[in-house]
Amino acid sequence: MSASADTIFGRILRGEIPCEALYSDDLCLAFRDVNPQAPVHALVIPRQPIAQLAEAGPGDQALLGHLLLVAAKVARQEGLDSWRTVINSGAEAGQTVFHLHVHVIGGRALSWPPG
Ligand code: AMP
């Protein structure tokens, strides 16, 4: 098992801990963030355990595109016309779970730049 398969998201993918799933397919899973930062806060994660965006390579191109399209699908499914997608890569950027994930955040006005 790779290191990122052992994160909390690996455990969610293996069904060892629950989540509120919003979308699922062969490549990814989307679920609600347990500590939402906005009325809608979802996470889209690949089933393949890539630790962070910095470790993705050319072979992951289609998967990364798929994650973004699923992020948009989930946002629309949640009734959003406008939302933010965020991928934190690395601890200094705020990444706390080292299994690649796309945040989908919306349902309120969002300021820029982020902190
Ligand atoms: P990041 O800081 O970019 O690594 O984001 C990790 C996100 O995972 C945070 O927004 C957490 O609230 C969220 N999170 C951590 N554990 C869980 C969990 N068991 N279910 C859903 N979301 C979680």
Side-chain angles (χ1 to χ4, degrees), residues 8-9 12 17-20 31-37 41 43 86-90 93-99 101 103:
I8 196 150
F9 293 171
I12 287 174
I17 58 173
C19 73
E20 189 178 344
F31 54 93
R32 290 196 199 284
D33 195 296
V34 77
N35 182 24
Q37 301 302 310
H41 189 168
L43 302 170
V86 173
I87 302 174
N88 296 321
S89 186
Q95 186 174 6
T96 58
V97 179
F98 283 81
H99 181 124
H101 50 282
H103 294 260

Side-chain angles (χ1 to χ4, degrees), residues 43-113:
L43 302 170
V44 185
I45 67 173
R47 294 189 179 280
Q48 180 187 330
I50 300 167
Q52 56 183 316
L53 186 58
E55 294 181 12
D60 301 312
Q61 182 168 314
L63 175 62
L64 294 174
H66 183 71
L67 296 178
L68 289 179
L69 290 175
V70 169
K73 184 195 294 277
V74 167
R76 285 192 295 267
Q77 188 178 292
E78 290 294 302
L80 300 178
D81 298 320
S82 180
W83 65 88
R84 184 172 295 169
T85 47
V86 173
I87 302 174
N88 296 321
S89 186
E92 202 169 336
Q95 186 174 6
T96 58
V97 179
F98 283 81
H99 181 124
L100 177 67
H101 50 282
V102 180
H103 294 260
V104 178
I105 300 167
R108 66 169 171 84
L110 298 169
S111 61
W112 190 264

